[in-house]
Amino acid sequence: MIASRIRFAGLAAFLLVGATACGAAPSTTAAPAASGGSAAGVDARTATSAADFGGLDKLVEAANKEGKLHVIALPPDWANYGKIIAAFKAKYPGIEIEEETPDAASADEINAVKTRKGQDRAPDVLDVAQSFAISGAAEGLFAPYKVQTWDKIPENQKEATGLWFNDYGGYVSIGCDAKKITTCPTSFADLLKPEYKGKVAMNGNPTQSGSAFAGVFAAALANGGSFDDIQPGLDFFKKLKAAGNFNPVETTPATIEKGETQISIDWDYNNAAYAPKMAEKGLDWKTNIPSDGKFLQLYAQAINKDAPHPAAARLWQEFLYSAEGQNLYLAGFARPVLLPAMKADGTVDAAAEANLPAVEGEPTFPTEEQNNKAKEVLASGWGAAVAG
Amino acid sequence: MTTDGGTAARGGSRTRSKGWLAALPLLAFVALAFGIPAIALLFGAFTVKDPKTLTSSFSTSNLTESLQGNYLNTLISSVQLSAVVAVLGAILGTFLAQAVVTSHSRALRESVLTASGVLANFGGVPLAFAWIATLGNAGVITKAFGLADGSWSLYNFWGLALVYMYFSVPLMVLTVVPALDGLKPQWREAAGNNGATTWQYWRHVGIPVLTPSLLGGVVLLFGGAFAAYATARAMVGSTVPLVTLQIADALTGNVLIGHENMALALSLDMIVIAGLVMAVYLPLQKRSSRWLR
């Protein structure tokens, strides 16, 4: 009896600690980073461009001196990050990349920046959803930096002083196993057809996953909603659930392979990247951009203001925004932010571009206010839409 | 508070205070590991951060909001699930334990208790995957028997309750077996000698004596189901609203920003609910434990 009470108390204590200590990261002892590129007479922490170092070569020199880059939340099978990291390592063999928690979310990244201030294990660079970039910039977590290709990044895809800048993105798309599904859905309206009973899944839960959130936004656009009104998107999923078509399993490559998620709403670069892998397993994974709800969103890059390896962090950005880095995103089916510029100056990898799922029309983007409002509606309405 | 209480005069208080001293490391540990997070949680639950100005102020708005609309639904749904699991788990577990105890088979007893010890600790993502692989929408049994063509779905309230029972029933067995062992055969014989039927024996002797253990088991199972997170996360995503999943949504992810204090307010609600369950259980337990004296 007493034992069970103690166990219950322990459980309650665990619950408490779990609830409050989630943000705390295990850490090595704080080691104030050696001053970055001070040898060259530049403080890498405050450098806002490669020119501040005296050119890219000097930046490489400073980064080599640091010898390390600490990255977080870069899944190898997401937007080709596995190959991007490998290419960076091959190009700059003097810099070791420490990868951490590849599956972390934007909120975890921001938490890591806050809780590991001054530690050697703090992330140097961040790849976050744009709204986290905006809120992180407002909290003063980032260092301003302009990559050499800065001017080619469209105005609405960057913060004016370089606190954050969008890197790559994609459209909401519908993936489908054409071996098991006779006709793959090509619109949100299709998804309600009785033949897709219990099949329509998402990559996560829209209150957590950026792609699922975008999926609800796209569904809203497809059903008479707008950037100001995401409610029709929630109503759509409610209808989907009522029709018995909604599948609560969250898509991963494994669930696709096992046939648990035969139709999946996800970023087109995820769905498209699954295709070659699934082909090896005997699946025919097709990707369609829904004709009635097109929604494009980009993720953002930012440099931690207290980056333990400030020069390496800046070099990483230069690499990502070089033609090489941008084409690597493209090879992973993601749409790099410099794609229009690269098409214009002919540096684009045409073969990789041709592999992208086709989309017609120019993309538009919700404003930050519209985004925030949509999130509040979603946070309070999603549970009710799909519960049961 | 008066100081002339009778207990202090009896001289026993000196040894008692020494006992307290020995418990000091434990108390310090509890204060550190339990107290500090609790204070941080309380503090955070009552703090509201303005997203624009980034200034914090004290307010009860988090708590108010946590008891309304969608958040209230998740709390209710969590309590319902935990209650269903606790009651059904306790009943099934008790009958199973009683069967094992009355069988008087040492081999059966040992094997059931060992298996219970293992299964009671089988939880989290591995448990969810075991069930998904067996009875999920592409599971072995689902496919073999064509269950998906019917209306079978593992990914709902009753599916989750079923999976929780998988570790709750063994936990109940472990909790209640010692109590069942404590029912002396002489009591039953005495009752029989006085002409009591089996039902009368259980009604007037067995169940009253067992009540504290049964209640303790129910509370334990309730707590286990109430706090469970990983299994539900892996299995049902957001289709069964649960407060632990809601807390995770507020703390992590790529979508919601600035809901951390909301998560703390929800945690506070959970603690209050756990406290209420204990508050119901403790007096009942006190009352019924008289029988054991």
Side-chain angles (χ1 to χ4, degrees), chain B residues 131 195 214 217 272:
Chain B
W131 279 87
L214 293 178
V272 170

Side-chain angles (χ1 to χ4, degrees), chain B:
Chain B
M1 176 116 194
T2 53
T3 49
D4 55 350
T7 48
R10 267 185 281 154
S13 66
R14 183 159 293 193
T15 42
R16 198 177 287 168
S17 70
K18 271 186 187 155
W20 273 97
L21 268 181
L24 212 63
L26 175 72
L27 293 176
F29 178 77
V30 169
L32 212 73
F34 191 85
I36 292 177
I39 291 167
L41 189 147
L42 257 179
F43 195 73
F46 286 103
T47 306
V48 172
K49 198 172 183 183
D50 189 290
K52 290 237 166 59
T53 56
L54 299 175
T55 49
S56 299
S57 56
F58 278 101
S59 157
T60 53
S61 68
N62 286 327
L63 278 175
T64 322
E65 204 185 322
S66 79
L67 295 174
Q68 285 172 351
N70 183 42
Y71 291 116
L72 182 63
N73 287 342
T74 60
L75 275 171
I76 292 173
S77 164
S78 264
V79 170
Q80 280 173 340
L81 180 69
S82 312
V84 164
V85 169
V87 171
L88 287 182
I91 293 172
L92 289 176
T94 308
F95 277 107
L96 182 59
Q98 172 66 7
V100 170
V101 167
T102 48
S103 76
H104 297 294
S105 153
R106 194 170 171 78
L108 180 68
R109 185 190 166 94
E110 294 291 310
S111 52
V112 168
L113 286 184
T114 309
S116 296
V118 174
L119 293 177
N121 289 301
F122 186 34
V125 177
L127 174 68
F129 281 159
W131 279 87
I132 290 170
T134 318
L135 280 164
N137 65 10
V140 179
I141 292 184
T142 316
K143 273 187 180 164
F145 295 97
L147 292 177
D149 303 331
S151 56
W152 167 254
S153 170
L154 181 66
Y155 312 117
N156 56 29
F157 182 90
W158 289 105
L160 196 59
L162 179 70
V163 173
Y164 279 12
M165 299 283 272
Y166 196 73
F167 59 79
S168 296
V169 172
L171 192 60
M172 189 65 195
V173 170
L174 290 180
T175 318
V176 84
V177 158
L180 290 171
D181 284 341
L183 289 182
K184 299 199 176 79
Q186 293 90 321
W187 296 348
R188 178 166 234 170
E189 289 159 9
N193 289 340
N194 286 310
T197 61
T198 309
W199 164 244
Q200 281 171 326
Y201 161 71
W202 280 111
R203 169 75 184 77
H204 297 288
V205 182
I207 292 174
V209 170
L210 284 179
T211 306
S213 310
L214 293 178
L215 275 176
V218 169
V219 170
L220 185 67
L221 262 47
F222 183 92
F226 196 51
Y229 162 71
T231 311
R233 175 81 183 78
M235 223 180 80
V236 295
S238 53
T239 48
V240 178
L242 291 180
V243 66
T244 43
L245 299 178
Q246 195 79 39
I247 290 172
D249 285 357
L251 284 177
T252 181
N254 287 309
V255 178
L256 299 179
I257 301 177
H259 282 233
E260 292 85 356
N261 293 331
M262 197 63 225
L264 295 178
L266 285 169
S267 313
L268 191 60
D269 294 343
M270 285 185 79
I271 293 170
V272 170
I273 291 172
L276 283 176
V277 173
M278 291 302 280
V280 172
Y281 156 67
L282 286 176
L284 280 175
Q285 189 241 12
K286 214 174 210 171
R287 201 167 154 241
S288 44
S289 64
R290 276 189 316 212
W291 298 100
L292 289 174
R293 283 195 195 130

